[in-house]
Amino acid sequence: MFLKSDINKIEKELERSVAAEHPVLKDASLHLLQAGGKRIRPVFVLLGAKFGNYDIERIKHIAVALELIHMASLVHDDVIDDAELRRGKRTIKAQWDNRVAMYTGDYIFAKAIEKAARFKNEDIHRIISQAMHEMCLGEIEQIRDQYNWDQSLKTYLRRIKRKTALLIAVSCQLGAVSAGAAPKEQSRLYHYGYNVGMSYQIIDDILDFTGTEKELGKPAGSDLLQGNITLPALYAIHKNEDAYQKMSHFIEGSKTKKDDVDSVIELVKNSGGIEYSKELSKKYLKKAYLSLEGLPDIPAKKSLSNIASYIGGRDH
Amino acid sequence: MKSTQQSPGEVKEIEKKFVAMTTHPYLAKHIEKAEIDFDIIFFLQDIMKDARIDAVSKQEQILSALLVQAAFLTHENVYNKNLVNGTAKKPRQLTVLAGDFFSSLYYFMLVKNTHDDILPVFSSAIQRINEEKMSLHFAESQSEEELMNRLKVVEGGFLFDIASFYQQQEVGCLAETFFLLKRIKHEKQERDVKYLSAFASAIYAFHEGERKDEVTDWPTARTRSFLEAKEKELEEALVSQMDACAMQVTNTLYQRVENWLSGE
């Protein structure tokens, strides 16, 4: 990819940013950084910035701020989920403990704000702070909606917007804002990111039913086991009374048998929920391509289009 | 130094806004609501009394500081205990998220009306405090003095940094002593606690030689005598700092601290 050397710069800047004085704080942050991740948000920032005056030395700070926000939320998510592993590596809470995870997340979060504070641009701060605020609300609502078998499609869509699509949308938009791209282009990039993010999350939710444990790195149906009702399950609930009856027996705090989960997975697969979700995911992708149409024909546009195609074809 | 009598209405207004911002219906159902620390308001009003910013900006910065403090206190309630049951996990999950929610609000508040200059003060203070929390968590203090200095940063470092920004270091030092003393008094009174706060855990580890999250004997004889000795030292320090401060006795903060010290 033509951004490789700039991504390396961001990687180095990320390492510099988490170089805390305290050795465990530094180790914990580096541990998280080295667990990798696709650095999808920085890529979107850089591609968005290509539509303006691209200056990597300036833009990298926005990319780093957004990745740090994402990282901080992951550290705290692992406390929330009581997770032992993330991307095959022990989580900070597992390697150390909850308190270390809380301090690390808070430290990284403050670091992200320090990075963003370099920009004397009101729009940048407004966009980041609103996104952070909404992401938090989304996470609270995700817990609120667990085991709520009567939730609506609108509730689900709002949740995945806040959980995934928003930070991707904002990454694309902020790249453009920080590079001084035209407002119309900033808006198109935001909508591209939003639609790609929605499509990405719906596919993730499909894979939770269709993927194998090996492919997913966790047992199939994990979302359901945690009471998270995703689109394929939501469709099945509305279309199949049997599915509704079975799923509503999954109650918070009780131990669900693997056989029961397997039988619900089959019900969801047979309900048409997977096909419906694929269709909706495609609709979002189509909107993402449409958002790109008005943008100037530069290599970054092709890259954004390729990313959308990759997301559309993702099967694990 | 001129006297600064704050109107009770102003404090009420800040409280009202704080409650409105931090109240979330679902959080309110499952976890304790964020408590406002009125002492922070009085200290910050004094710190900012000569600042060349308008009343609205002052209020926004005070609200932001209260939100940071609420985030700190909320995250302090995330313990290390393993929770097996899914229902029992919910309060912990929401405690983590509530702290993050308050943090997002302080940033939101500060950028809403472009407090660009103080934003880095907030973020660097939060980093510094978390560094010290780590040192306390891993019981790294080699001396009582080192332990006390770290506890002082954790309890009052945030206000100290804001005071330094406004060139009010004297009030900043006073804040550090005051908030450390306040915490010591609080921890000393804690009885039948099962899970130690991070603050108590650091003192326990220093005196008992091992770190424990769950205890049955807080405060131990050693920690109790340590807390009593430090309480006395800090009370004396606070009185001499107030005398040394160029603060008039009619000053609202002066009166508040003095009343608090005399138990009123």
Side-chain angles (χ1 to χ4, degrees), chain A residues 277-291:
Chain A
S277 304
K278 280 184 179 169
E279 272 313 304
L280 191 59
S281 168
K282 275 187 197 158
K283 277 185 187 165
Y284 278 110
L285 270 191
K286 210 172 161 187
K287 284 187 190 170
Y289 289 123
L290 273 174
S291 308

Side-chain angles (χ1 to χ4, degrees), chain B residues 215-250:
Chain B
V215 292
T216 51
D217 56 348
W218 175 265
T220 60
R222 269 191 289 240
T223 51
R224 170 183 287 280
S225 85
F226 170 80
L227 290 171
E228 280 168 357
K230 291 300 158 194
E231 183 183 15
K232 198 164 175 284
E233 268 176 41
L234 288 167
E235 277 176 351
E236 284 166 10
L238 196 60
V239 171
S240 62
Q241 277 176 326
M242 281 167 71
D243 288 343
C245 247
M247 205 183 260
Q248 283 187 4
V249 288
T250 50

